Amino acid sequence: MIKKIPFSILAGVCAMLTFFGVAAFIAAHIYLNGVAAQTGETVSMFANWWQTLLFVADIVFVAGLISCSVFAVIRKVKYPQADDEEDF
């Protein structure tokens, strides 16, 4: 079963989602901090429920990235590819 799952593609998807999630998390903090500075308030990284959800999703995607990368390496080492097979 491990031979049929495309772990390298899943790792790439998790890497993209992690990158854009972290970028959105930082951009949201910068934007909300700018708004709070204009109104004389302060804001934290977890002030809203969606910021917390975005942070938790980032942690899940990082864990997925690490685990898919490990499984991709295990598959390459344990099941070496023949020359006539294509790598998808």
Side-chain angles (χ1 to χ4, degrees), residues 16-35:
M16 286 187 281
L17 290 172
T18 299
F19 173 76
F20 289 118
V22 168
F25 187 70
I26 292 170
H29 180 66
I30 290 171
Y31 176 75
L32 291 174
N33 199 16
V35 170

Side-chain angles (χ1 to χ4, degrees), residues 18 22 46 52-66:
T18 299
V22 168
F46 305 106
T52 306
L53 181 66
L54 188 59
F55 181 75
V56 170
D58 282 338
I59 297 298
V60 169
F61 290 136
V62 166
L65 171 63
I66 292 169

Side-chain angles (χ1 to χ4, degrees), residues 7-52:
F7 288 113
S8 57
I9 293 174
L10 292 174
V13 169
C14 286
M16 286 187 281
L17 290 172
T18 299
F19 173 76
F20 289 118
V22 168
F25 187 70
I26 292 170
H29 180 66
I30 290 171
Y31 176 75
L32 291 174
N33 199 16
V35 170
Q38 291 295 321
T39 59
E41 297 178 7
T42 59
V43 68
S44 71
M45 296 284 264
F46 305 106
N48 299 315
W49 65 270
W50 56 269
Q51 287 176 299
T52 306

